[in-house]
Amino acid sequence: MSDVNLSLTEAHELAVRVLTQNGCDNQNAVAVSDTMIAAERDLCHSHGLFRLPGYVASLRSGKVNGNAKPKVEKLAPSVLRTDGNNGYAPLALKAARDPLAECAMETGIAAMSLINIHHFSALWVEIESLTEKGLCAMAFTAYTPSVAPAGGTRPFYGTNPMAFGWPRTNKPPMIFDQATATQARGEVMIAARDGHVLPAGVGIDAKGNPSTNPNEVLEGCLLPFGGYKGASIALMIELLVGPLIGERCSYEAESADNHDGGPPRGGEILIAMNPQRFGTQDPYAHAERLFTALLEMDGTRLPGDRRVQNRAKSAQNGIFVPQSLHDKIQSFL
Ligand code: NDP
């Protein structure tokens, strides 16, 4: 079956229409669509329109508030909190961005916790908006159990992504954004949908045996990247977005969830740093020397470069949506 070619504007309008017809107000629908189409545009398919059925499922089941009105408060000079009002993360993140940036500009470092949100997207989107302001930034979130802890064979950690960004003058920021699992679960779901085999070492089946069959891995679990080292980072993220900010850890999110196919309620933490408040001479030029030295080696590239190149292509060619996904999306209208 052939793919459906849509311009970025057509894809955005389609997403907004589907979300508003299924329980989102316009503000929430636009915020979710901005994030989803940004992922689609950069060819991060696992967090693009592929997620729209899940967003719709949780609006229809009533798990997520499509009319959420996020509220930002300051808890300490460098600690802020956004309550997402049980909505999807993108509008809460929009509300959080400027207060966090202003605080970090002033104090040098600031943290923003986001509670009462449902996060279903890629993290680089929120980092990019901070690097655009000259800030260096990090983001972490958890999910529901999909990854075995070190030594274990059952899902316990979420795929718990983390992202880090460094601003660059007149160049796209350096941003890496990665699951602490060997792969994002969405990638495994897409491999299952498209009949692909997974690389060895990605996951195990329900009996704990290594498997490259995506359906078996979805029944079993993913492994952390880098063995126990990745597992420790997943544990750190559980602590940062659970106990530290007063939200659910992955295992708690799962037991409270209605399993409607959409994202569980959880939290996120964003940390922003102003490189100009750390007493250094010229942090940006120093970073550029580092990047230049790194890129002199054959075979290297900076994280995020692939996305930026894809972005330019999508602006010209639009995006390509599998016919089966397009049909499913149309069925929500
Ligand atoms: P990938 O393994 O595809 O990529 C991870 C990072 O490594 C990217 O920043 C990528 O940059 C970079 N990279 C890849 N190859 C190279 C290379 N050769 N040299 C330098 N850098 C490289 O990502 P994941 O599958 O781990 O995660 C995909 C997405 O899923 C993320 O956006 C993440 O936020 C999201 N996610 C969201 C979850 C949620 O609950 N909301 C849960 C889990 C994941 P580039 O993009 O340029 O290739």
Side-chain angles (χ1 to χ4, degrees), residues 65-290:
N65 177 7
N67 301 299
K69 306 228 173 324
K71 218 168 79 194
V72 184
E73 61 183 324
K74 196 169 218 174
L75 303 175
S78 277
V79 183
L80 300 110
R81 176 164 69 190
T82 300
D83 184 328
N85 192 210
N86 200 36
Y88 283 123
L91 191 64
L93 285 157
K94 247 185 196 174
R97 183 182 309 156
D98 286 350
L100 173 64
E102 279 158 26
C103 190
M105 284 294 184
E106 169 68 21
T107 63
I109 181 164
M112 172 69 79
S113 67
L114 293 111
I115 58 165
N116 219 357
I117 55 162
H118 296 256
H119 202 294
F120 212 25
S121 39
L123 290 180
W124 55 262
V125 185
E126 41 254 40
I127 293 291
E128 206 165 69
S129 65
L130 293 165
T131 53
E132 274 163 11
K133 296 175 188 290
L135 296 163
C136 155
M138 306 169 81
F140 306 92
T141 190
Y143 195 59
T144 55
S146 335
V147 179
T153 52
R154 288 198 312 279
F156 184 72
Y157 298 131
T159 41
N160 296 7
M162 59 180 175
F164 173 88
W166 182 271
R168 304 184 72 193
T169 313
N170 301 323
K171 287 196 179 118
M174 188 295 294
I175 299 178
F176 76 74
D177 176 15
Q178 58 196 47
T180 45
T182 44
Q183 281 194 351
R185 195 163 185 274
E187 299 290 346
V188 181
M189 291 163 76
I190 286 180
R193 181 193 71 189
D194 297 346
H196 296 152
V197 170
L198 298 174
V202 163
I204 52 181
D205 66 19
K207 292 185 180 139
N209 300 313
S211 175
T212 55
N213 177 330
N215 291 301
E216 287 181 3
V217 170
L218 290 171
E219 288 287 308
C221 61
L222 286 156
L223 293 170
F225 82 92
Y228 61 87
K229 295 183 182 180
S232 297
I233 296 175
L235 175 58
M236 174 190 79
I237 294 172
E238 297 284 344
L239 290 164
L240 290 176
V241 303
L244 182 72
I245 67 168
E247 252 299 349
R248 293 169 177 160
C249 297
S250 296
Y251 78 98
E252 294 164 326
E254 162 135 88
S255 52
D257 194 42
N258 66 1
H259 304 286
D260 57 9
R265 200 197 83 195
E268 174 173 359
I269 188 160
L270 283 167
I271 301 169
M273 288 161 270
N274 178 0
Q276 302 192 70
R277 294 300 297 261
F278 281 73
T280 40
Q281 278 291 327
D282 192 347
Y284 302 112
H286 194 172
E288 289 308 315
R289 290 198 293 279
L290 169 72

